[in-house]
Amino acid sequence: MMGTMGKMAALVAEPSEDAFRKLFRFYRQSRPGTADLGEVIDFTRASPARDSGHKVFRSPLSVSLVSEQDTYRAGLQPVNKWKAYGLEGYPGYQRHWVKQCLKLYSRKPNVCNLDKHMVAEETQDLWGQSQELLRNKDVSKKRPRSLLEKLRWVTLGYHYNWDNKTYSADHYTPFPPDLAYLSKQVAAACGFQDFQAEAGILNYYRLDSTLGIHVDRSELDHTKPLLSFSFGQSAIFLLGGLKRDEAPTAMFMHSGDIMVMSGFSRLLNHAVPRVLPNFDGTSLPRCLEVPLPDSLPAGSVAEPCSVEDWQVCANYLQTARVNMTVRQVLATGRDWEEKEKETTSESSRHLDDKNHETKRPRMNPNS
Ligand code: OGA
Ligand code: MN
């Protein structure tokens, strides 16, 4: 605690800075294994809020609304085994979603950050062009970066327009049915039975990536939840208030965690100031090492990931975090007609890192 306070005091230097920005900078330069992380809530602990002074509430889930068979088919445990503040996906199945993010969802017609800088045929098959480099075991050695390692975001369904911060009716491609199914089960268990997965933003973080402070308000119906699934390396997630001058709460997001932002929390400021490398620098979270069950349920949307494919995914994830966010854009039963009335736009939402061009300069952590 003292260490943390001392560090924080050293960070007060910038007078006009809001409380959120201050903590963003603090966690961006935080050191794993030190007192820096003492106030970060860890949902995997018996008492997750141990040092943080925050109380974590277990909120009940609608166990009866989602059948055991439906959760099983989505690769999830029965709802009565979930913890509302952080879910454990069925371990073996996390591999399916990682593989989809890297191999399938990164393909056309989905849109990605590389499209702007490359011709269409070069971005046709990022996985195909990267697998040789990534399958090579020696990830620590200097080697050319694969396209997958340059991938920062992919959009699905109604494609988010980063320039005008809107979705539009005429830029839509089919939303992946397996991810829509997974999202439906999770939303239903949280009491949102008519949730429609209409847009997705997939974030591909390197160890030095950050996601800037933002509110997701571009969706037209804010009564619907926003679902966020995390895989690979852990991150510090900051959840703030409606205004930027409210200090945020820091919490870990580990592989397999699902964050649901709904109700009051749907329009709160949030950010990811830090991806945390494993202490030994190489290994993957244990939950990803668990092999698949021998038999999959009938009608399963999650498929086994082959040994060869997993080799590529595992090497990639040693230095990466993948986050899938799923959103309903339109109000149920409404159409795009209503859209014109919406005038508010989303605040800046940038995934930054040293190898990625940014619209706004990165702050120097030592300043
Ligand atoms: C987002 C987002 C958080 C995360 O994509 O809007 O807030 O955990 N992602 O990566
Ligand atoms: Mn967000």
Side-chain angles (χ1 to χ4, degrees):
M1 279 296 277
M2 284 308 290
T4 305
M5 296 304 286
K7 201 78 185 300
M8 299 282 267
L11 269 168
V12 176
E14 303 203 5
S16 63
E17 196 174 40
D18 57 60
F20 201 123
R21 186 77 211 157
K22 200 168 89 192
L23 275 173
F24 186 95
R25 285 206 299 131
F26 174 74
Y27 284 113
R28 193 172 62 193
Q29 66 183 56
S30 59
R31 298 152 304 167
T34 69
D36 286 2
L37 306 185
E39 294 202 19
V40 182
I41 294 173
D42 194 342
F43 293 113
T44 56
R45 302 177 83 106
S47 48
R50 202 172 48 102
D51 303 322
S52 71
H54 291 278
K55 215 169 152 54
V56 174
F57 295 96
R58 285 282 298 273
S59 67
L61 291 161
S62 308
V63 174
S64 63
L65 293 180
V66 184
S67 75
E68 203 164 312
Q69 198 185 355
D70 282 345
T71 55
Y72 193 35
R73 287 180 61 199
L76 299 166
Q77 302 215 16
V79 179
N80 64 15
K81 290 208 179 158
W82 297 11
K83 294 167 187 160
Y85 53 73
L87 305 175
E88 285 172 1
Y90 193 75
Y93 280 36
Q94 284 187 42
R95 293 187 179 189
H96 170 79
W97 304 107
V98 172
K99 188 195 74 181
Q100 296 298 75
C101 287
L102 297 180
K103 188 174 181 178
L104 188 67
Y105 302 158
S106 62
R107 292 187 75 106
K108 300 298 148 237
N110 300 331
V111 180
C112 74
N113 64 298
L114 301 174
D115 294 335
K116 249 193 200 149
H117 313 285
M118 298 169 69
V119 298
E121 62 192 32
E122 289 176 316
T123 57
Q124 200 55 43
D125 183 12
L126 304 181
W127 172 273
Q129 295 200 47
S130 307
Q131 56 175 344
E132 286 312 319
L133 277 170
L134 281 169
R135 201 166 277 143
N136 178 354
K137 269 238 179 288
D138 209 353
V139 286
S140 57
K141 274 239 179 84
K142 270 237 179 304
R143 52 163 176 77
R145 269 183 333 131
S146 62
L147 287 182
L148 274 180
E149 290 163 298
K150 295 178 184 168
L151 183 65
R152 288 296 173 275
W153 54 261
V154 166
T155 54
L156 312 170
Y158 289 114
H159 297 280
Y160 184 66
N161 180 321
W162 301 84
D163 297 323
N164 63 22
K165 295 168 180 138
T166 61
Y167 301 95
S168 77
D170 49 21
H171 196 191
Y172 177 84
T173 58
F175 193 94
D178 56 348
L179 183 53
Y181 185 83
L182 173 75
S183 303
K184 215 168 180 47
Q185 308 317 315
V186 172
C190 297
F192 300 93
Q193 281 173 282
D194 58 354
F195 180 79
Q196 304 279 347
E198 293 172 332
I201 299 180
L202 313 178
N203 299 300
Y204 302 79
Y205 294 80
R206 310 301 306 167
L207 294 178
D208 64 351
S209 301
T210 61
L211 180 67
I213 308 164
H214 69 280
V215 174
D216 294 279
R217 64 170 108 252
S218 301
E219 298 73 25
L220 304 185
D221 182 2
H222 297 149
T223 68
K224 292 296 184 291
L226 188 154
L227 314 181
S228 165
F229 304 83
S230 295
F231 302 104
Q233 303 302 326
S234 300
I236 296 177
F237 184 92
L238 294 179
L239 183 65
L242 290 168
K243 298 226 171 75
R244 286 266 291 257
D245 53 14
E246 242 177 90
T249 301
M251 55 195 91
F252 287 115
M253 287 292 134
H254 298 300
S255 193
D257 283 351
I258 304 173
M259 158 86 102
V260 178
M261 295 182 79
S262 66
F264 176 73
S265 75
R266 179 65 180 75
L267 293 174
L268 297 183
N269 281 283
H270 56 281
V272 177
R274 188 84 159 97
V275 174
L276 295 166
N278 269 317
F279 299 156
D280 61 14
T282 53
S283 64
L284 286 183
R286 272 256 279 290
C287 56
L288 284 164
E289 306 285 5
V290 178
L292 268 174
D294 286 337
S295 65
L296 289 163
S300 177
V301 299
E303 291 161 353
C305 176
S306 72
V307 174
E308 297 77 49
D309 282 354
W310 183 248
Q311 210 181 354
V312 175
C313 294
N315 276 341
Y316 173 88
L317 279 189
Q318 284 183 11
T319 52
R321 169 177 185 257
V322 176
N323 171 254
M324 320 188 285
T325 61
V326 179
R327 303 125 191 271
Q328 175 165 346
V329 174
L330 299 168
T332 309
R334 294 261 193 99
D335 215 334
W336 286 94
E337 254 72 87
E338 309 297 317
K339 183 190 162 190
E340 266 53 64
K341 294 176 197 139
E342 188 81 20
T343 50
T344 50
S345 68
E346 187 172 314
S347 52
S348 65
R349 185 194 168 293
H350 301 302
L351 185 57
D352 289 354
D353 60 56
K354 296 199 176 84
N355 300 307
H356 186 54
E357 85 291 348
T358 59
K359 290 181 187 161
R360 160 201 80 182
R362 290 180 83 241
M363 295 191 60
N364 180 348
N366 303 314
S367 67

